[in-house]
Amino acid sequence: MPRQTAPTLTPAPEPAGLVCPIIQKKRNMKFEELDLNDNILDSLYDMNFEECTPVQENCIPQILQGHDLMGVAQTGTGKTAAYLLPILSMLDDGGYPKDAVNCVIMSPTRELAQQIDQAMQGFSYYLEGVSSVAVYGGNDGNRYDQEMKSMRMGADVIIATPGRLISHISMGNIDLSRVSFFVLDEADRMLDMGFYDAIEDIISKTPARRQTLLFSATYPVSIKQLASKFMRAPQQVKAEAFHSDEQIEQRFYEISPEERMDAVTKVLSHFRPASCVAFCFTKQQVQETVDHLTAKGISAVGLHGDLEQRDRDQVLAMFANRSTSVLVATDVAARGLDIDSLDMVINVELARDSEIHIHRVGRTGRAGETGIAISLVAPSEAHRAQAIELLQKAPLNWDQLSNLKSQGGAPLLPVMSTLCIAAGRKDKVRPGDILGALTGEAGIPGAQVGKIAIFDFQAYVAVERSVAKQALQRLNDGKIKGRSLRVRIL
């Protein structure tokens, strides 16, 4: 499609510079070339990890040398391993107190804390002398007591959300006076969520001579201020965030503010993606977009920071198992989510920061796949578009809404439906129990069952839309683990 001339809108561009080195991957360095100990290398070998990502290649040596480090890297660049591997290697080599918390890893959300904890379990498999515990809020009233017992037994590494960690500190459950490593993961999101005072309070409980590592997807002024206050001459590393035109196609559409919602519908009706994340700036805009798409017969769910954890779990489970087509989200709510095989990103409103735009776009076109990113640009957002062009060092690909044509056919509905089961991990429900109840004697074929997600008090299973009612009746009429459980279609 030919490139269109950019609209004649000329406000001054926003600043978009990150003053630190940019990683450009020249070759695939192997983990064995780094100074990691043998136990860590054995774990990596078992997990079929051989080659470093660029962020790992550049961060691990700096951390092993004892430097404070500030890394700017998106989800999916391997940043968790970039700090976990060198920290675990050093802890395993010895020289750190056996009766103290040696490392604190801060996460803005429960989901990211869980992901870090899972990575920790894999990387530390052969490390007999290194223990960890993850502490985060949730719906389980018993979890706090379980966390307290685990910490009293001793843990070298604490993975925590800010509020939960402060709660344990105030109760005297955690002593941070001998911490050697302090990690802030997704620091920009923690600041967006208003955790600056909490971070400051927690850091004040740690020794001044700790090694501090900060990772962020973007590099706003608030991150610079945080780094200048709590870090000592940090090394700076930035993972290259740009994508080739062959990997991700970007298109920009000039719109008037009043046609924004109809433009989203036109985009979806033209391209008909199986999975799409539509980014909004506010919770109100998220709800407005979801309501508009639902009214047009398009399956959509909203994700924003005010959702209760159970509702958040439900939304993410439905999108991950392909039983909803469009996830409408704010930047803050979507951060830290690892979404596989995403066909499209729509910027319902252009991001305020050009680096956030790059982060949004990078959600699609991963793991060798291709994707498309659509940006809707009102006249008041022209300076944001110019800032993106300046950062990308390439002209933007402008198109016209009139070129988008509905492909017709059925409404944009997903092929899967989600069944919600009123029991979960705390009820000892396992994926195999649900699969067996669905596919057992005279049941539905296993090929028609999709992803199964188990949470503390509920479980979700995807089935093909054509057999959803049959699957619902089978689970309601039958039993799971010998019990009759309430099941409903979302």
Side-chain angles (χ1 to χ4, degrees):
M1 182 172 292
R3 294 183 183 268
Q4 303 293 324
T5 303
T8 55
L9 305 165
T10 57
E14 296 175 348
L18 173 64
V19 185
C20 63
I22 296 179
I23 299 171
Q24 302 241 353
K25 190 173 182 180
K26 296 178 181 178
R27 68 182 185 89
N28 296 327
M29 177 177 280
K30 295 186 180 297
F31 284 108
E32 62 190 27
E33 298 179 64
L34 302 173
D35 196 21
L36 298 168
N37 75 16
D38 290 341
N39 288 332
I40 291 291
L41 293 176
D42 287 344
S43 297
L44 293 171
Y45 178 80
D46 285 354
M47 299 166 73
N48 294 318
F49 288 0
E50 295 183 4
E51 298 178 344
C52 305
T53 66
V55 72
Q56 292 161 1
E57 178 180 334
N58 284 266
C59 289
I60 290 174
Q62 300 285 356
I63 297 172
L64 288 173
Q65 291 169 21
H67 295 295
D68 281 12
L69 184 138
M70 185 162 49
V72 180
Q74 299 181 19
T75 299
T77 55
K79 62 180 173 60
T80 303
Y83 62 77
L84 272 183
L85 294 177
I87 289 174
L88 292 176
S89 184
M90 288 187 280
L91 290 177
D92 190 46
D93 286 341
Y96 297 90
K98 295 297 183 184
D99 59 344
V101 176
N102 291 302
C103 174
V104 172
I105 301 172
M106 299 288 297
S107 156
T109 65
R110 168 187 175 183
E111 288 84 11
L112 181 58
Q114 291 171 329
Q115 291 173 25
I116 297 169
D117 187 37
Q118 290 171 359
M120 174 80 189
Q121 302 311 313
F123 296 145
S124 64
Y125 184 80
Y126 292 106
L127 278 56
E128 295 182 1
V130 179
S131 59
S132 67
V133 61
V135 300
Y136 47 80
N139 297 317
D140 184 359
N142 296 322
R143 180 168 176 81
Y144 191 92
D145 293 335
Q146 295 169 354
E147 292 173 354
M148 188 166 55
K149 290 177 183 177
S150 297
M151 287 183 291
R152 286 176 178 173
M153 292 174 62
D156 296 280
V157 180
I158 302 290
I159 304 161
T161 52
R164 192 63 149 210
L165 185 56
I166 285 179
S167 178
H168 279 296
I169 291 172
S170 65
M171 295 294 291
N173 298 330
I174 301 178
D175 177 11
L176 304 184
S177 63
R178 290 189 282 176
V179 164
S180 297
F181 305 98
F182 192 88
V183 182
L184 289 167
D185 199 346
E186 294 204 354
D188 51 350
R189 185 178 177 192
M190 277 192 266
L191 297 184
D192 288 342
M193 295 170 71
F195 284 133
Y196 185 93
D197 291 342
I199 293 170
E200 187 173 36
D201 184 30
I202 292 166
I203 291 181
S204 71
K205 306 291 194 300
T206 67
R209 296 298 297 177
R210 69 188 178 271
Q211 185 176 356
T212 306
L213 312 174
L214 183 154
F215 287 83
S216 176
T218 58
Y219 194 63
V221 172
S222 56
I223 290 296
K224 299 176 187 177
Q225 294 171 339
L226 186 69
S228 66
K229 186 167 185 178
F230 298 117
M231 303 181 79
R232 294 177 291 115
Q235 301 295 303
Q236 297 181 331
V237 170
K238 183 184 179 184
E240 179 59 83
F242 305 124
H243 308 274
S244 69
D245 291 339
E246 291 76 20
Q247 185 182 3
I248 299 175
E249 179 186 358
Q250 289 199 64
R251 297 190 191 183
F252 292 76
Y253 293 87
E254 184 185 7
I255 61 164
S256 60
E258 58 271 15
E259 65 179 334
R260 196 183 299 273
M261 291 298 106
D262 285 336
V264 175
T265 306
K266 279 188 175 181
V267 167
L268 292 170
S269 298
H270 177 86
F271 291 102
R272 301 187 65 81
S275 61
C276 170
V277 174
F279 283 104
C280 297
F281 188 67
T282 64
K283 177 183 72 172
Q284 180 180 351
Q285 194 177 58
V286 167
Q287 194 58 53
E288 179 185 356
T289 305
V290 170
D291 292 344
H292 180 86
L293 295 179
T294 302
K296 297 294 184 180
I298 297 173
S299 173
V301 291
L303 184 68
H304 52 75
D306 289 349
L307 285 183
E308 295 291 334
Q309 188 62 49
R310 180 169 297 195
D311 295 331
R312 182 180 174 87
D313 290 341
Q314 176 176 305
V315 165
L316 295 178
M318 290 178 66
F319 190 68
N321 68 25
R322 299 305 180 100
S323 60
T324 192
S325 301
V326 184
L327 176 67
V328 186
T330 59
D331 292 295
V332 170
R335 288 282 296 280
L337 302 180
D338 193 6
I339 304 168
D340 296 329
S341 302
L342 185 62
D343 297 331
M344 173 179 282
V345 165
I346 299 177
N347 294 306
V348 177
E349 179 180 338
L350 212 56
R352 263 66 166 176
D353 184 282
S354 52
E355 288 189 8
I356 291 176
H357 173 86
I358 300 298
H359 185 66
R360 287 179 175 184
V361 169
R363 296 281 185 174
T364 187
R366 290 185 174 181
E369 298 184 0
T370 59
I372 186 167
I374 301 296
S375 297
L376 306 178
V377 188
S380 62
E381 300 158 33
H383 61 289
R384 303 180 199 171
Q386 291 174 344
I388 293 167
E389 187 170 72
L390 182 65
L391 182 62
Q392 295 184 161
K393 298 181 176 64
L396 303 184
N397 180 19
W398 291 93
D399 200 355
Q400 297 178 356
L401 282 177
S402 59
N403 291 329
L404 298 178
K405 307 297 181 184
S406 174
Q407 301 302 314
L412 188 61
L413 295 174
V415 296
M416 309 297 282
S417 291
T418 293
L419 305 181
C420 177
I421 301 166
R425 190 179 296 111
K426 297 302 180 182
D427 304 291
K428 308 300 182 184
V429 172
R430 299 172 301 177
D433 301 323
I434 298 172
L435 183 62
L438 284 169
T439 63
E441 185 178 350
I444 66 176
Q448 293 183 299
V449 181
K451 288 186 177 181
I452 298 174
I454 310 290
F455 294 90
D456 286 347
F457 298 108
Q458 55 195 351
Y460 303 98
V461 55
V463 297
E464 289 185 5
R465 182 174 294 275
S466 60
V467 298
K469 291 183 179 179
Q470 178 187 345
L472 176 66
Q473 182 175 351
R474 182 171 179 84
L475 291 182
N476 276 325
D477 292 346
K479 294 183 177 181
I480 300 175
K481 292 191 76 69
R483 291 182 297 158
S484 297
L485 298 173
R486 184 169 60 87
V487 183
R488 59 192 173 92
I489 299 178
L490 298 179

